[in-house]
Amino acid sequence: GESVGLHLPTLSVQEGDNSIINCAYSNSASDYFIWYKQESGKGPQFIIDIRSNMDKRQGQRVTVLLNKTVKHLSLQIAATQPGDSAVYFCAENIGGNQFYFGTGTSLTVIP
Amino acid sequence: DAGVTQSPTHLIKTRGQQVTLRCSPKSGHDTVSWYQQALGQGPQFIFQYYEEEERQRGNFPDRFSGHQFPNYSSELNVNALLLGDSALYLCASSLASGNEQFFGPGTRLTVL
C-alpha cells in the first residue's frame, strides 16, 4: 500500500539556523502534498502545500521542495525560532482529499 | 471566521461503551474527514463525508460510523469500544472542489 515516511524522526537545531525536514513518499500517483506542524496537545496546523506540477513553493520563512523523480519532499524553515519546536508531518493526497501521513519528525530548537 | 471546532475536548469511556464525537467545519467548507491519531503516530484516515454521505473510507472496522448534517457538521460514532481505540480523534474540513485541509484541535478519547 501507499506510505509516507520521514528520514529523521528527531532533529535539533540552534535558534537562528535553518532547518530541513525530509519526507519520502511511495505513491507516484500522489498529486498534492501538505506539510503540517503539530504542537503538543493540538491538532495539526497547515503550513504549506505543493502540487505535483511544481518543484518549489515558498511561504513566510518556509520553503517546500518536491522531487518527483525520487519521490521526495523537504520542508525548509529559515531562521528557526523556539516557537518552531513541534512535530512536522508531510501528508500526501492520492485523490479525493484522502491524505496519508507519515510518523512525523520532532523538531527541537535550542535557544 | 471560525476554524474547525470539535467537542468534547476530552472523554473517558470504558470498554464496550459507545461514544459520539462532534465536529463543525471551517466556515464555507463542505467536506469533513475524520482521523485517528495514536500516541507518537501520524493521523490515520477513518472516513470522509460529503453531501451527507460517506465518500471514502480507510481501513477501520464497521464499529466506526459517522454522519454529516445539512449544515455540514459531522459526528463520529464508535461502538463496542476497545482499549486500542484510545487516541486523539481529529476532524479536518475542506472544500470538495479544493485540496487544502484544515484540522480541529481534536478530541482525546481514553478507553479504560
Side-chain angles (χ1 to χ4, degrees):
Chain A
E2 300 84 8
S3 66
V4 178
L6 297 174
H7 296 304
L8 298 172
T10 62
L11 178 65
S12 295
V13 298
Q14 288 292 138
E15 181 178 358
D17 287 352
N18 296 334
S19 303
I20 299 176
I21 301 172
N22 296 302
C23 175
Y25 65 96
S26 59
N27 192 329
S28 57
S30 295
D31 61 357
Y32 178 67
F33 305 86
I34 301 177
W35 278 101
Y36 287 96
K37 170 187 179 183
Q38 187 173 28
E39 297 174 281
S40 181
K42 297 183 179 180
Q45 176 188 353
F46 181 104
I47 301 174
I48 192 168
D49 60 356
I50 189 167
R51 299 192 182 279
S52 59
N53 61 352
M54 302 171 68
D55 297 324
K56 179 180 179 179
R57 189 155 191 238
Q58 288 184 292
Q60 188 175 19
R61 282 202 307 120
V62 294
T63 300
V64 55
L65 299 177
L66 174 62
N67 185 331
K68 294 180 288 294
T69 302
V70 295
K71 291 183 283 188
H72 183 269
L73 273 166
S74 68
L75 175 70
Q76 301 177 2
I77 306 174
T80 314
Q81 303 169 359
D84 294 328
S85 293
V87 176
Y88 289 80
F89 294 97
C90 69
E92 64 175 307
N93 178 13
I94 62 169
N97 283 359
Q98 180 175 349
F99 286 85
Y100 289 92
F101 285 74
T103 55
T105 291
S106 177
L107 174 66
T108 300
V109 180
I110 303 167
Chain B
D1 179 23
V4 181
T5 60
Q6 292 186 244
S7 64
T9 305
H10 296 86
L11 204 51
I12 299 175
K13 292 285 189 178
T14 57
R15 282 179 297 176
Q17 286 190 310
Q18 178 265 343
V19 68
T20 298
L21 310 181
R22 295 175 176 83
C23 170
S24 291
K26 180 179 171 65
S27 178
H29 283 184
D30 56 10
T31 301
V32 173
S33 301
W34 286 93
Y35 291 79
Q36 179 194 68
Q37 186 177 24
L39 198 62
Q41 302 293 319
Q44 298 293 311
F45 179 81
I46 302 175
F47 44 53
Q48 182 182 91
Y49 277 83
Y50 171 67
E51 292 188 336
E52 302 180 48
E53 292 188 355
E54 183 181 294
R55 188 162 73 166
Q56 296 192 71
R57 190 178 184 92
N59 188 25
F60 279 80
D62 292 343
R63 298 187 297 110
F64 290 77
S65 63
H67 188 78
Q68 185 179 35
F69 299 93
N71 66 352
Y72 307 119
S73 67
S74 177
E75 288 182 348
L76 164 66
N77 301 292
V78 187
N79 295 322
L81 284 167
L82 304 173
L83 296 179
D85 294 331
S86 295
L88 181 67
Y89 288 84
L90 295 161
C91 169
S93 76
S94 57
L95 278 171
S97 58
N99 290 128
E100 290 185 1
Q101 180 173 240
F102 296 90
F103 282 86
T107 294
R108 172 70 63 185
L109 173 64
T110 301
V111 182
L112 302 176

